[in-house]
Amino acid sequence: GAGVSQSPSNKVTEKGKDVELRCDPISGHTALYWYRQSLGQGLEFLIYFQGNSAPDKSGLPSDRFSAERTGGSVSTLTIQRTQQEDSAVYLCASSVRSWPQYFGPGTRLLVL
Amino acid sequence: AQSVTQLDSHVSVSEGTPVLLRCNYSSSYSPSLFWYVQHPNKGLQLLLKYTSAATLVKGINGFEAEFKKSETSFHLTKPSAHMSDAAEYFCVVSTLPSEGQNFVFGPGTRLSVLP
């Protein structure tokens, strides 16, 4: 497709389980962002990938969160031992610039 | 560190009337400023950006914003609201380099457009 895609669109999990969220950026985009958006809140920065540089992980809220980007394309955000406060919409964005240009539709995560 | 304040969590206007969404920022250095729009069940879309060129910036869908350094503001305006403008609007401040954690989103303003 022409845009940023994310999967799954919705995910319901039980507290303590691990989840993986996927982001397919626009082809050729070197920059990739992950954000978290809680109900009624702005976007919380999680992690930023730029080309082959070391990712900026400064926004990851705990060591339960990790992300990787394979081959400079697809990215996976993993949350281990999920907690109820992890419930949110997780947004991915890609760009040919350094700032986020195109956002995906998000993955809505609900931890029961 | 930089921060951004959106003074109104919700703005309601009638169709055909002007729109004003307010944004104030705090930054130690010359900032770059952005506005994004998020329509229901859709991804965020860049409306416009200011990066130290002309202080009056025109964006898509008839929106524009003016950078006022003396007031540390970057308010978003549109002369005449359309029903399709109903959405959530986010102001963003960034210092150079405009990337990573330097890119800070405000809490958002929800715009309602009444017929």
Side-chain angles (χ1 to χ4, degrees):
Chain A
V4 178
S5 60
Q6 293 185 245
S7 60
S9 54
N10 291 279
K11 177 71 177 179
V12 181
T13 190
E14 295 178 346
K15 178 183 174 181
K17 294 285 181 66
D18 297 352
V19 295
E20 283 190 352
L21 312 180
R22 177 186 169 105
C23 172
D24 283 87
I26 294 172
S27 178
H29 282 197
T30 56
L32 188 148
Y33 284 81
W34 282 99
Y35 289 93
R36 179 167 68 177
Q37 185 176 25
S38 302
L39 189 62
Q41 303 294 313
L43 273 69
E44 175 189 2
F45 167 75
L46 296 177
I47 189 168
Y48 166 62
F49 296 90
Q50 177 60 273
N52 295 321
S53 302
D56 177 356
K57 304 180 180 180
S58 59
L60 295 177
S62 76
D63 59 8
R64 296 187 295 104
F65 287 74
S66 63
E68 63 178 21
R69 188 177 185 192
T70 54
S73 181
V74 171
S75 178
T76 303
L77 177 69
T78 301
I79 309 174
Q80 296 179 310
R81 306 181 301 282
T82 52
Q83 304 293 313
Q84 289 181 331
E85 59 264 28
D86 299 334
S87 296
V89 177
Y90 289 81
L91 296 170
C92 174
S94 73
S95 179
V96 293
R97 308 279 188 175
S98 59
W99 40 269
Q101 286 179 288
Y102 301 97
F103 282 79
T107 293
R108 189 176 303 273
L109 175 66
L110 178 61
V111 182
L112 300 176
Chain B
Q2 60 272 27
S3 65
V4 59
T5 303
Q6 293 184 245
L7 297 164
D8 305 297
S9 60
H10 183 211
V11 170
S12 185
V13 301
S14 297
E15 189 175 21
T17 64
V19 176
L20 170 64
L21 303 182
R22 296 183 292 170
C23 172
N24 287 86
Y25 68 91
S26 173
S27 176
S28 301
Y29 304 98
S30 295
S32 295
L33 295 153
F34 303 72
W35 276 98
Y36 287 80
V37 60
Q38 185 177 34
H39 287 94
N41 300 316
K42 290 189 177 181
L44 277 86
Q45 181 181 20
L46 177 68
L47 270 181
L48 50 80
K49 64 183 186 296
Y50 165 78
T51 54
S52 75
T55 57
L56 181 63
V57 182
K58 294 186 183 298
I60 61 172
N61 301 334
F63 284 94
E64 62 181 35
E66 186 172 9
F67 172 65
K68 293 187 177 180
K69 186 175 180 178
S70 61
E71 299 178 8
T72 61
S73 69
F74 190 58
H75 301 333
L76 183 69
T77 60
K78 182 174 181 177
S80 176
H82 191 272
M83 297 296 289
S84 61
D85 295 328
E88 189 89 17
Y89 291 80
F90 294 94
C91 182
V92 177
V93 64
S94 175
T95 56
L96 292 178
S98 292
E99 62 183 18
Q101 61 173 320
N102 293 337
F103 207 77
V104 177
F105 280 78
T109 296
R110 182 164 61 90
L111 175 65
S112 297
V113 181
L114 307 175

